[in-house]
Amino acid sequence: MLFLSLETSCDETAVAIFEAGTPEAGPNILSSVVASQMPLHARFGGVVPEVAARSHLKQLLPVLNAALQEAGVSLQQISAVAVMNRPGLVGALLVGVSAAKALAWSLNIPLIAVSHIDAHLYACRLAARRNIYPCIGLVVSGGHTTLFRCDSALECRPLGGTIDDAAGEAFDKISALLGLGFPGGPNVERAARSGNSSAYNFPRSFLREERLDFSFSGLKTAVRYCLRDLETTGTTITAQVRADIAASFQRAVIDVLTAKCKQALQRQNLKTLAVGGGVTANQSFRNSLIDMTTQAGYQLIIPPMEWCTDNAAMAALAVESYYQGDFASLDLDAEPQWSARKIANRRQNRD
């Protein structure tokens, strides 16, 4: 059985083809094609929603054709079409949702709605090629920083999350403050490699508290004040100063993320940690998680780099929905906002 999936939630136009596979090993990814819009948004210093939506309209059909060609299949062989319809930029989401509904209607095949958040965690299941549940899941990206207890692929209960900026958003804002450009994550990480992570003692919100929440706005403000104070004292903001600030900022974010993962594992009495989302492409963060889980005796699952950033392969989560008969109707809409309450209500109605 073959599935086709579409992802247009933000600034990546992506299509994947996958087989249902086996219950043990999970789906087999036959192709995964991603067209990045990064150069389009770089000059604006961030993602411009209207530009993103227009680019999706231009790129979707070429990416779809490339994915079919790479997999060596035709549209007529597809048994179901999946689309990530939540959360994201509403205009961008609508491009993917509209295309998926058109494909499902014209091919007379089931339509499956996929949560972008749950899909980031399912990328860990794809990477492991085995059952990883129950586990603690962390989605850490430009728009989300949330901890979950995952009892199955479709049962991920939020335990806590950011009360302000997401971790990836904080990286973007600090990159702008330091004049490092967009995208912030890779640029801050690159600068941090030559910096001293102990040069500045930036705050680590909630680090010593029991709550499984995150806050990065105070850290962002501390960096801004640090730069202001340096300029006030006449200190030249050299490349090395920027590197030291970048390294110290990155260390503060990583310390909090790692500590909260460990805290969640302990409180839920679980031994497996699955981490997905764009920030997991940061090698220092990966190393911190590896050190923590190795020392504490936990098992860590992180997807390969190509499944950390936005892609359509992780929408293979649709296979799980297919087996449960959880299909969407052709009046499916884009849902730009994500909330724990909405997720709970959806699952209660399904049950």
Side-chain angles (χ1 to χ4, degrees), residues 44-326:
F44 302 109
V47 177
V48 180
E50 178 65 20
V51 173
R54 288 181 180 273
S55 182
H56 287 311
L57 285 169
K58 180 180 179 180
Q59 295 285 350
L60 190 56
L61 282 179
V63 171
L64 171 61
N65 289 330
L68 290 168
Q69 184 175 4
E70 183 179 311
V73 303
S74 67
L75 278 176
Q76 287 65 38
Q77 293 174 266
I78 302 299
S79 299
V81 59
V83 61
M84 296 195 214
N85 75 315
R86 62 191 189 274
L89 303 175
V90 63
L93 286 169
L94 283 170
V95 175
V97 170
S98 298
K101 291 196 291 187
L103 286 168
W105 178 81
S106 62
L107 297 171
N108 193 28
I109 57 177
L111 175 66
I112 302 172
V114 176
S115 162
H116 185 88
I117 305 301
D118 289 350
H120 268 308
L121 293 175
Y122 196 72
C124 298
R125 166 72 171 93
L126 288 175
R129 300 291 294 165
R130 58 176 175 76
N131 181 40
I132 63 173
Y133 309 103
C135 67
I136 291 297
L138 172 68
V139 174
V140 55
S141 64
H144 304 275
T145 304
T146 310
L147 277 164
F148 298 86
R149 177 189 171 101
C150 303
D151 289 304
S152 73
L154 297 173
E155 296 175 292
C156 298
R157 176 171 58 88
L159 300 174
T162 181
I163 64 171
D164 41 59
D165 294 346
E169 181 183 1
F171 270 92
D172 286 341
K173 290 179 177 178
I174 296 308
S175 183
L177 285 174
L178 294 175
L180 299 176
F182 177 84
N187 290 335
V188 170
E189 181 183 12
R190 190 176 302 111
R193 290 179 190 142
S194 58
N196 177 7
S197 63
S198 300
Y200 300 94
N201 185 24
F202 291 133
R204 290 150 168 79
S205 298
F206 305 151
L207 184 65
R208 306 298 178 188
E209 298 184 24
E210 291 187 3
R211 61 192 296 187
L212 295 175
D213 288 321
F214 306 90
S215 173
F216 298 110
S217 64
L219 173 58
K220 176 190 65 181
T221 301
V223 173
R224 179 182 291 113
Y225 286 167
C226 174
L227 287 167
R228 182 200 63 183
D229 293 344
L230 288 172
E231 292 170 353
T232 300
T233 59
T235 302
T236 302
I237 310 298
T238 64
Q240 187 58 54
V241 170
R242 288 190 177 89
D244 289 343
I245 293 175
S248 299
F249 160 79
Q250 179 176 267
R251 185 72 260 163
V253 173
I254 290 172
D255 284 350
V256 172
L257 292 173
T258 304
K260 289 300 174 183
C261 285
K262 183 176 182 180
Q263 190 176 352
L265 287 161
Q266 292 172 334
R267 289 176 59 174
Q268 294 294 314
N269 194 29
L270 295 174
K271 295 295 184 181
T272 301
L273 174 65
V275 185
V279 178
T280 57
N282 183 295
Q283 191 59 55
S284 294
F285 180 40
R286 285 176 172 246
N287 292 340
S288 178
L289 291 173
I290 290 170
D291 290 343
M292 181 274 287
T293 53
T294 300
Q295 293 172 12
Y298 298 124
Q299 183 173 42
L300 174 65
I301 303 173
I302 304 179
M305 291 293 188
E306 63 268 23
W307 291 348
C308 291
T309 52
D310 291 351
N311 64 89
M314 62 189 189
L317 172 63
V319 172
E320 308 286 344
S321 296
Y322 186 92
Y323 286 146
Q324 293 192 13
D326 187 8

